[in-house]
Amino acid sequence: MADTWLPSLITTTPQEGFELAITLSRRGVKYTQPDMETLKKLRADYAESADGLTAASQVIAVNFQTVAAANNYWRP
């Protein structure tokens, strides 16, 4: 891991939390497959796959659960 890019899971709003969840998910893919050429080649396989898109949505949902819990579900 090259640099610190995630100082906190705390966000101001649920929308920001969801966007952070997407970022976490995308970063996870990039850490798992750091070669951009391979990553771009593989994208075609899952971009039109209902199973692949559902799996991606599940990963985002799990990350959103984590961010929401870290933010006490944005309760005052």
Side-chain angles (χ1 to χ4, degrees), residues 16-60:
E16 288 178 9
F18 187 73
E19 290 169 10
L20 177 57
I22 292 170
T23 298
L24 290 168
S25 302
R26 294 183 73 166
R27 287 274 188 145
V29 169
K30 286 172 73 175
Y31 277 119
T32 304
Q33 178 48 265
D35 180 58
M36 289 305 287
E37 285 291 316
T38 301
L39 200 58
K40 287 178 182 179
K41 285 180 191 175
L42 293 173
R43 185 171 294 151
D45 291 341
Y46 67 81
E48 296 185 29
S49 162
D51 290 340
L53 295 172
T54 299
S57 294
Q58 289 173 328
V59 171
I60 292 168

